[in-house]
mmCIF file of all heavy atoms in Angstrom:
data_model
loop_
_atom_site.group_PDB
_atom_site.id
_atom_site.type_symbol
_atom_site.label_atom_id
_atom_site.label_comp_id
_atom_site.label_asym_id
_atom_site.label_seq_id
_atom_site.Cartn_x
_atom_site.Cartn_y
_atom_site.Cartn_z
ATOM 1 N N ASN X 5 55.566 33.943 14.248
ATOM 2 C CA ASN X 5 56.167 35.010 15.018
ATOM 3 C C ASN X 5 55.311 35.398 16.181
ATOM 4 O O ASN X 5 54.140 35.076 16.229
ATOM 5 C CB ASN X 5 56.418 36.240 14.161
ATOM 6 C CG ASN X 5 57.364 35.964 13.000
ATOM 7 O OD1 ASN X 5 58.312 35.170 13.100
ATOM 8 N ND2 ASN X 5 57.127 36.631 11.864
ATOM 9 N N SER X 6 55.880 36.116 17.161
ATOM 10 C CA SER X 6 55.153 36.590 18.335
ATOM 11 C C SER X 6 54.356 35.479 18.966
ATOM 12 O O SER X 6 53.180 35.646 19.289
ATOM 13 C CB SER X 6 54.230 37.780 17.900
ATOM 14 O OG SER X 6 54.974 38.838 17.367
ATOM 15 N N LEU X 7 54.979 34.343 19.202
ATOM 16 C CA LEU X 7 54.297 33.194 19.706
ATOM 17 C C LEU X 7 53.772 33.397 21.105
ATOM 18 O O LEU X 7 54.387 34.042 21.928
ATOM 19 C CB LEU X 7 55.230 31.956 19.632
ATOM 20 C CG LEU X 7 55.382 31.392 18.239
ATOM 21 C CD1 LEU X 7 56.623 30.510 18.141
ATOM 22 C CD2 LEU X 7 54.153 30.594 17.851
ATOM 23 N N LYS X 8 52.616 32.755 21.334
ATOM 24 C CA LYS X 8 51.911 32.828 22.630
ATOM 25 C C LYS X 8 51.730 31.440 23.187
ATOM 26 O O LYS X 8 51.726 30.485 22.447
ATOM 27 C CB LYS X 8 50.509 33.483 22.419
ATOM 28 C CG LYS X 8 50.492 34.823 21.770
ATOM 29 C CD LYS X 8 49.107 35.274 21.462
ATOM 30 C CE LYS X 8 49.070 36.618 20.818
ATOM 31 N NZ LYS X 8 47.663 37.015 20.487
ATOM 32 N N PRO X 9 51.590 31.304 24.501
ATOM 33 C CA PRO X 9 51.374 29.974 25.067
ATOM 34 C C PRO X 9 50.178 29.247 24.458
ATOM 35 O O PRO X 9 50.204 28.019 24.320
ATOM 36 C CB PRO X 9 51.112 30.260 26.561
ATOM 37 C CG PRO X 9 51.920 31.514 26.787
ATOM 38 C CD PRO X 9 51.778 32.340 25.540
ATOM 39 N N GLU X 10 49.135 29.963 24.062
ATOM 40 C CA GLU X 10 47.952 29.355 23.451
ATOM 41 C C GLU X 10 48.246 28.794 22.048
ATOM 42 O O GLU X 10 47.392 28.129 21.474
ATOM 43 C CB GLU X 10 46.746 30.300 23.462
ATOM 44 C CG GLU X 10 47.084 31.660 22.869
ATOM 45 C CD GLU X 10 47.362 32.697 23.982
ATOM 46 O OE1 GLU X 10 48.168 32.416 24.891
ATOM 47 O OE2 GLU X 10 46.778 33.804 23.927
ATOM 48 N N ASP X 11 49.416 29.088 21.511
ATOM 49 C CA ASP X 11 49.778 28.442 20.237
ATOM 50 C C ASP X 11 50.349 27.029 20.399
ATOM 51 O O ASP X 11 50.616 26.374 19.420
ATOM 52 C CB ASP X 11 50.877 29.275 19.508
ATOM 53 C CG ASP X 11 50.374 30.666 19.100
ATOM 54 O OD1 ASP X 11 49.233 30.750 18.568
ATOM 55 O OD2 ASP X 11 51.142 31.637 19.265
ATOM 56 N N THR X 12 50.532 26.587 21.637
ATOM 57 C CA THR X 12 51.023 25.278 21.954
ATOM 58 C C THR X 12 50.109 24.216 21.363
ATOM 59 O O THR X 12 48.916 24.204 21.695
ATOM 60 C CB THR X 12 51.223 25.089 23.426
ATOM 61 O OG1 THR X 12 52.247 25.989 23.895
ATOM 62 C CG2 THR X 12 51.657 23.661 23.762
ATOM 63 N N ALA X 13 50.600 23.309 20.537
ATOM 64 C CA ALA X 13 49.790 22.317 19.897
ATOM 65 C C ALA X 13 50.675 21.412 19.070
ATOM 66 O O ALA X 13 51.874 21.734 18.825
ATOM 67 C CB ALA X 13 48.711 22.941 18.981
ATOM 68 N N VAL X 14 50.125 20.315 18.577
ATOM 69 C CA VAL X 14 50.743 19.574 17.500
ATOM 70 C C VAL X 14 50.263 20.161 16.176
ATOM 71 O O VAL X 14 49.068 20.349 15.950
ATOM 72 C CB VAL X 14 50.360 18.082 17.566
ATOM 73 C CG1 VAL X 14 50.988 17.295 16.375
ATOM 74 C CG2 VAL X 14 50.833 17.454 18.893
ATOM 75 N N TYR X 15 51.226 20.486 15.311
ATOM 76 C CA TYR X 15 50.932 21.122 14.008
ATOM 77 C C TYR X 15 51.058 20.067 12.916
ATOM 78 O O TYR X 15 52.068 19.335 12.836
ATOM 79 C CB TYR X 15 51.882 22.292 13.775
ATOM 80 C CG TYR X 15 51.521 23.501 14.577
ATOM 81 C CD1 TYR X 15 51.710 23.529 15.960
ATOM 82 C CD2 TYR X 15 50.942 24.624 13.935
ATOM 83 C CE1 TYR X 15 51.366 24.678 16.709
ATOM 84 C CE2 TYR X 15 50.603 25.738 14.701
ATOM 85 C CZ TYR X 15 50.793 25.733 16.082
ATOM 86 O OH TYR X 15 50.452 26.853 16.802
ATOM 87 N N TYR X 16 50.047 20.037 12.030
ATOM 88 C CA TYR X 16 49.992 19.119 10.936
ATOM 89 C C TYR X 16 49.884 19.792 9.612
ATOM 90 O O TYR X 16 49.149 20.837 9.517
ATOM 91 C CB TYR X 16 48.732 18.161 11.085
ATOM 92 C CG TYR X 16 48.661 17.364 12.312
ATOM 93 C CD1 TYR X 16 48.030 17.864 13.474
ATOM 94 C CD2 TYR X 16 49.159 16.082 12.385
ATOM 95 C CE1 TYR X 16 47.902 17.139 14.609
ATOM 96 C CE2 TYR X 16 49.055 15.366 13.548
ATOM 97 C CZ TYR X 16 48.427 15.852 14.644
ATOM 98 O OH TYR X 16 48.326 15.104 15.803
ATOM 99 N N CYS X 17 50.484 19.298 8.575
ATOM 100 C CA CYS X 17 50.258 19.829 7.250
ATOM 101 C C CYS X 17 49.332 18.859 6.502
ATOM 102 O O CYS X 17 49.270 17.625 6.773
ATOM 103 C CB CYS X 17 51.525 20.031 6.444
ATOM 104 S SG CYS X 17 52.516 18.595 6.039
ATOM 105 N N LYS X 18 48.517 19.401 5.569
ATOM 106 C CA LYS X 18 47.568 18.624 4.772
ATOM 107 C C LYS X 18 47.570 19.077 3.355
ATOM 108 O O LYS X 18 47.598 20.304 3.060
ATOM 109 C CB LYS X 18 46.152 18.767 5.360
ATOM 110 C CG LYS X 18 45.145 17.858 4.696
ATOM 111 C CD LYS X 18 43.724 18.102 5.170
ATOM 112 C CE LYS X 18 43.029 19.198 4.404
ATOM 113 N NZ LYS X 18 41.571 19.237 4.718
ATOM 114 N N ALA X 19 47.508 18.126 2.459
ATOM 115 C CA ALA X 19 47.290 18.380 1.051
ATOM 116 C C ALA X 19 45.827 18.127 0.698
ATOM 117 O O ALA X 19 45.314 17.070 1.047
ATOM 118 C CB ALA X 19 48.207 17.491 0.169
ATOM 119 N N TRP X 20 45.214 19.073 0.071
ATOM 120 C CA TRP X 20 43.765 18.991 -0.351
ATOM 121 C C TRP X 20 43.580 18.188 -1.582
ATOM 122 O O TRP X 20 43.927 18.643 -2.672
ATOM 123 C CB TRP X 20 43.172 20.361 -0.463
ATOM 124 C CG TRP X 20 43.110 21.125 0.816
ATOM 125 C CD1 TRP X 20 44.059 21.894 1.363
ATOM 126 C CD2 TRP X 20 41.943 21.278 1.650
ATOM 127 N NE1 TRP X 20 43.612 22.473 2.548
ATOM 128 C CE2 TRP X 20 42.300 22.137 2.756
ATOM 129 C CE3 TRP X 20 40.655 20.758 1.628
ATOM 130 C CZ2 TRP X 20 41.409 22.412 3.717
ATOM 131 C CZ3 TRP X 20 39.782 21.094 2.630
ATOM 132 C CH2 TRP X 20 40.163 21.944 3.693
ATOM 133 N N GLY X 21 42.978 17.011 -1.474
ATOM 134 C CA GLY X 21 42.662 16.188 -2.620
ATOM 135 C C GLY X 21 41.342 16.610 -3.242
ATOM 136 O O GLY X 21 40.666 17.561 -2.799
ATOM 137 N N SER X 22 40.982 15.963 -4.338
ATOM 138 C CA SER X 22 39.748 16.262 -5.035
ATOM 139 C C SER X 22 38.493 15.928 -4.201
ATOM 140 O O SER X 22 37.392 16.434 -4.445
ATOM 141 C CB SER X 22 39.690 15.583 -6.357
ATOM 142 O OG SER X 22 39.836 14.165 -6.250
ATOM 143 N N SER X 23 38.665 15.029 -3.242
ATOM 144 C CA SER X 23 37.616 14.739 -2.264
ATOM 145 C C SER X 23 38.318 14.314 -0.952
ATOM 146 O O SER X 23 39.547 14.066 -0.950
ATOM 147 C CB SER X 23 36.657 13.621 -2.757
ATOM 148 O OG SER X 23 37.375 12.407 -2.902
ATOM 149 N N ARG X 24 37.567 14.241 0.147
ATOM 150 C CA ARG X 24 38.158 14.005 1.435
ATOM 151 C C ARG X 24 38.992 12.723 1.479
ATOM 152 O O ARG X 24 40.048 12.722 2.127
ATOM 153 C CB ARG X 24 37.003 13.922 2.489
ATOM 154 C CG ARG X 24 37.479 13.730 3.910
ATOM 155 C CD ARG X 24 36.320 13.906 4.854
ATOM 156 N NE ARG X 24 36.722 13.584 6.200
ATOM 157 C CZ ARG X 24 36.523 12.432 6.804
ATOM 158 N NH1 ARG X 24 35.990 11.399 6.146
ATOM 159 N NH2 ARG X 24 36.924 12.238 8.061
ATOM 160 N N LYS X 25 38.569 11.671 0.832
ATOM 161 C CA LYS X 25 39.348 10.431 0.887
ATOM 162 C C LYS X 25 40.694 10.533 0.247
ATOM 163 O O LYS X 25 41.558 9.689 0.476
ATOM 164 C CB LYS X 25 38.530 9.267 0.262
ATOM 165 C CG LYS X 25 38.394 9.320 -1.268
ATOM 166 C CD LYS X 25 37.654 8.090 -1.766
ATOM 167 C CE LYS X 25 38.468 6.825 -1.557
ATOM 168 N NZ LYS X 25 37.761 5.610 -2.128
ATOM 169 N N TYR X 26 40.908 11.551 -0.587
ATOM 170 C CA TYR X 26 42.206 11.739 -1.258
ATOM 171 C C TYR X 26 43.065 12.814 -0.601
ATOM 172 O O TYR X 26 44.131 13.153 -1.116
ATOM 173 C CB TYR X 26 41.987 12.064 -2.712
ATOM 174 C CG TYR X 26 41.361 10.978 -3.504
ATOM 175 C CD1 TYR X 26 40.039 11.073 -3.947
ATOM 176 C CD2 TYR X 26 42.045 9.819 -3.732
ATOM 177 C CE1 TYR X 26 39.436 10.012 -4.626
ATOM 178 C CE2 TYR X 26 41.455 8.745 -4.469
ATOM 179 C CZ TYR X 26 40.141 8.885 -4.864
ATOM 180 O OH TYR X 26 39.536 7.848 -5.585
ATOM 181 N N ASP X 27 42.643 13.332 0.570
ATOM 182 C CA ASP X 27 43.514 14.254 1.343
ATOM 183 C C ASP X 27 44.711 13.488 1.865
ATOM 184 O O ASP X 27 44.630 12.317 2.200
ATOM 185 C CB ASP X 27 42.744 14.836 2.521
ATOM 186 C CG ASP X 27 41.725 15.814 2.130
ATOM 187 O OD1 ASP X 27 41.646 16.273 0.981
ATOM 188 O OD2 ASP X 27 40.888 16.191 3.015
ATOM 189 N N TYR X 28 45.844 14.150 1.989
ATOM 190 C CA TYR X 28 47.037 13.605 2.565
ATOM 191 C C TYR X 28 47.420 14.401 3.839
ATOM 192 O O TYR X 28 47.336 15.638 3.845
ATOM 193 C CB TYR X 28 48.220 13.636 1.618
ATOM 194 C CG TYR X 28 47.999 12.926 0.314
ATOM 195 C CD1 TYR X 28 48.345 13.555 -0.919
ATOM 196 C CD2 TYR X 28 47.473 11.614 0.256
ATOM 197 C CE1 TYR X 28 48.140 12.887 -2.108
ATOM 198 C CE2 TYR X 28 47.260 10.968 -0.948
ATOM 199 C CZ TYR X 28 47.630 11.595 -2.158
ATOM 200 O OH TYR X 28 47.441 10.957 -3.341
ATOM 201 N N TRP X 29 47.865 13.694 4.858
ATOM 202 C CA TRP X 29 48.213 14.298 6.130
ATOM 203 C C TRP X 29 49.625 13.893 6.559
ATOM 204 O O TRP X 29 50.060 12.749 6.360
ATOM 205 C CB TRP X 29 47.278 13.807 7.259
ATOM 206 C CG TRP X 29 45.884 14.394 7.152
ATOM 207 C CD1 TRP X 29 44.842 13.895 6.443
ATOM 208 C CD2 TRP X 29 45.388 15.551 7.817
ATOM 209 N NE1 TRP X 29 43.736 14.676 6.585
ATOM 210 C CE2 TRP X 29 44.026 15.699 7.423
ATOM 211 C CE3 TRP X 29 45.977 16.481 8.669
ATOM 212 C CZ2 TRP X 29 43.247 16.770 7.933
ATOM 213 C CZ3 TRP X 29 45.189 17.522 9.137
ATOM 214 C CH2 TRP X 29 43.824 17.651 8.745
ATOM 215 N N GLY X 30 50.291 14.810 7.190
ATOM 216 C CA GLY X 30 51.588 14.507 7.822
ATOM 217 C C GLY X 30 51.347 13.937 9.211
ATOM 218 O O GLY X 30 50.214 13.856 9.703
ATOM 219 N N GLN X 31 52.463 13.581 9.848
ATOM 220 C CA GLN X 31 52.375 12.942 11.197
ATOM 221 C C GLN X 31 52.362 13.965 12.324
ATOM 222 O O GLN X 31 52.053 13.559 13.467
ATOM 223 C CB GLN X 31 53.540 11.987 11.380
ATOM 224 C CG GLN X 31 54.894 12.644 11.774
ATOM 225 C CD GLN X 31 55.574 13.395 10.644
ATOM 226 O OE1 GLN X 31 55.171 13.330 9.501
ATOM 227 N NE2 GLN X 31 56.592 14.154 11.023
ATOM 228 N N GLY X 32 52.676 15.183 12.059
ATOM 229 C CA GLY X 32 52.597 16.253 13.047
ATOM 230 C C GLY X 32 53.945 16.529 13.682
ATOM 231 O O GLY X 32 54.831 15.688 13.765
#
């Protein structure tokens, strides 16, 4: 809400794995 021009970006979701190699990322 109340979006600002500085919010402009590619947004990604991430699932936190038990270690970094097991993290999952979306394409954005």
Side-chain angles (χ1 to χ4, degrees):
N5 298 327
S6 302
L7 283 161
K8 305 173 179 179
E10 49 263 49
D11 296 318
T12 295
V14 178
Y15 284 71
Y16 301 90
C17 65
K18 186 185 88 170
W20 292 84
S22 57
S23 65
R24 182 171 175 265
K25 72 177 294 183
Y26 296 109
D27 290 347
Y28 302 133
W29 289 87
Q31 81 287 349

